[in-house]
Amino acid sequence: MPLDGAARPLNSLGFAKPESETRVLVAMSGGVDSSVVAALLAEQGYDVVGITLQLYDHGAALAKKGACCAGRDIHDARRVAESVGFPHYVLDYENVFRDAVIEEFADSYLAGATPVPCIRCNERVKFRDLLATAKDLEADCMATGHYIQRKIGPNGPELHCAADPARDQSYFLFSTTPDQLDYLRFPLGHLPNKDATRALAVKYGLPVADKPDSQDICFVPEGNYASVIEKLRPGAAEPGDIVHADGRVLGSHKGVIHYTVGQRRGLGIGGLEEPLYVVRLDVETRQVVVGPKEMLSTRIVPVREINWLGDRPLSAQSEWEVSVKVRSTRPPRSAILRPLSETEAQVELLTPEEGVSPGQACVLYETGNSRVLGGGWIWRGNNRG
């Protein structure tokens, strides 16, 4: 016990009170990562409450492997809670998930964009609605199994990349707001690799220790976006022409929704001398526009809906030297960020990127540092600059 008048030292989650009096809501997907978070915090003596979200049809989910928040995953999360010994609840978020994530996914895809629904799920479901539920349950904080780090800087909590670049999920969490970051905790972000997480799962005797990682978007079986869109928007797969950028009609297609910017294979227009790539999708005319690889090269990227996590306002200066990711699988590249307002900017890539597509995120990083400065959504097509 601290002496009278002396400040109690902070526990590992940053609270000046005993672990047993610190309630933590753990968002449990049923996978090994969030299960380890729950077991780790329970071992440390925290008052852990596990919550799993049912995000889409339970019956259909039971037949699908390799996706989070499905029926099997709910069962696995419950088994972990029972084995470790903390309360676990399942919340029906099907309607919320459909309205906040799936419907926009369908509309964006139909508009020729390449959406990233996992970002919207974190932003609109997990870090908004579930976080509000955590506060209703009087939890002091909410913990997740994401591979990202929360560090305390001179101006408060900062978002940083995970210690393991191969597991880093900062691209999918750029829209985390300062208020959310104040409440969230990410206990796995400092681990050196996924093997360390699985070693902890074995140590705690978790029934999911050997469970494979989920690969697909949870509501997109086998990564087949087009089949999902056709179910959500009957008649969406209307045929049209495959057109060269110079105006030549090269063939026909069975629907714009079957194509993405940067695609080369499966175009059905073989026999040409030059390799061609999808450079633009024109939904109005139902045209898939193709051209040589150099047409994919983009230098100027328009970004909106910016979530800014810097210490000073975005508009505090006319230019920011940053590093950016325009796809989750690519390393950060040097760029100049030019604010147009507090939520909109133009990003100039110092080295042009290929396959920059509307609907993708543009995530901003402090140059030479692991800090995430926020990000926004790419909203117009190829700007070669």
Side-chain angles (χ1 to χ4, degrees):
M1 295 291 290
L3 299 174
D4 289 345
R8 175 182 286 277
L10 301 180
N11 59 33
S12 64
L13 293 178
F15 298 99
K17 56 182 178 179
E19 287 82 358
S20 61
E21 296 176 16
T22 305
R23 176 169 292 174
V24 188
L25 185 146
V26 179
M28 299 184 68
S29 68
V32 65
D33 298 326
S34 56
S35 297
V36 165
V37 167
L40 175 69
L41 295 176
E43 183 198 45
Q44 293 175 359
Y46 289 102
D47 177 12
V48 172
V49 177
I51 298 284
T52 302
L53 302 180
Q54 180 181 317
L55 297 181
Y56 57 98
D57 182 68
H58 201 168
L62 286 171
K64 174 151 174 12
K65 297 179 180 179
C68 70
C69 310
R72 178 70 192 178
D73 298 313
I74 292 171
H75 174 70
D76 287 342
R78 184 177 292 121
R79 288 169 63 209
V80 168
E82 289 173 352
S83 68
V84 177
F86 58 85
H88 173 259
Y89 304 97
V90 178
L91 303 182
D92 183 352
Y93 270 48
E94 280 190 40
N95 291 338
V96 171
F97 186 67
R98 183 178 64 249
D99 294 342
V101 179
I102 297 180
E103 295 293 335
E104 182 187 75
F105 170 83
D107 291 339
S108 296
Y109 220 85
L110 285 176
T114 308
V116 191
C118 296
I119 296 176
R120 289 302 197 192
C121 182
N122 290 325
E123 173 189 324
R124 297 176 174 177
V125 180
K126 294 175 182 175
F127 291 176
R128 186 183 68 185
D129 295 345
L130 181 56
L131 193 144
T133 298
K135 292 182 176 180
D136 289 342
L137 293 173
E138 299 182 341
D140 294 283
C141 62
M142 184 171 102
T144 79
H146 289 107
Y147 287 88
I148 196 164
Q149 298 187 82
R150 175 188 183 272
K151 298 182 179 181
I152 302 300
N155 295 295
E158 299 175 353
L159 202 61
H160 285 256
C161 296
D164 178 11
R167 304 299 304 180
D168 176 59
Q169 292 177 293
S170 59
Y171 184 86
F172 301 98
L173 296 169
F174 79 84
S175 61
T176 305
T177 67
D179 285 346
Q180 292 168 345
L181 188 57
D182 189 55
Y183 193 71
L184 289 163
R185 301 294 187 274
F186 308 106
L188 302 184
H190 69 286
L191 295 181
N193 50 47
K194 184 60 177 270
D195 289 343
T197 304
R198 292 200 181 276
L200 287 172
V202 172
K203 171 187 172 183
Y204 299 132
L206 302 183
V208 295
D210 296 324
K211 186 173 181 178
D213 290 341
S214 60
Q215 300 295 328
D216 298 329
I217 295 170
C218 63
F219 60 91
V220 182
E222 311 304 328
N224 190 342
Y225 288 32
S227 66
V228 172
I229 301 300
E230 288 183 67
K231 288 180 181 178
L232 292 169
R233 301 288 188 272
E238 296 182 7
D241 292 329
I242 298 176
V243 181
H244 195 283
D246 64 13
R248 287 177 290 151
V249 176
L250 303 179
S252 60
H253 64 77
K254 295 181 179 179
V256 171
I257 62 172
H258 295 283
Y259 300 85
T260 57
V261 172
Q263 179 178 337
R264 178 186 175 188
R265 299 183 184 278
L267 300 181
I269 50 173
L272 299 171
E273 292 184 6
E274 61 175 345
L276 296 176
Y277 299 77
V278 176
V279 298
R280 191 172 73 253
L281 299 172
D282 191 327
V283 178
E284 295 288 325
T285 61
R286 300 200 301 275
Q287 288 185 340
V288 173
V289 182
V290 298
K293 189 174 184 179
E294 55 265 26
M295 289 193 69
L296 290 171
S297 183
T298 301
R299 182 180 292 276
I300 304 300
V301 182
V303 181
R304 62 184 177 185
E305 290 185 63
I306 292 175
N307 177 57
W308 180 247
L309 296 173
D311 294 329
R312 298 164 60 218
L314 178 61
S315 59
Q317 56 194 67
S318 60
E319 291 187 350
W320 300 82
E321 292 185 10
V322 296
S323 296
V324 304
K325 274 189 179 187
V326 292
R327 285 189 182 269
S328 63
T329 55
R330 296 181 183 175
R333 303 288 181 90
S334 296
I336 303 296
L337 173 70
R338 298 187 176 93
L340 302 175
S341 70
E342 294 297 342
T343 59
E344 194 167 331
Q346 184 184 84
V347 173
E348 180 182 353
L349 304 173
L350 299 190
T351 302
E353 284 264 13
E354 295 176 354
V356 177
S357 174
Q360 294 280 307
C362 178
V363 182
L364 314 169
Y365 301 86
E366 198 168 82
T367 299
N369 197 316
S370 63
R371 186 175 180 186
V372 183
L373 293 175
W377 296 94
I378 301 167
W379 67 280
R380 280 206 306 268
N382 225 320
N383 289 269
R384 300 177 66 183

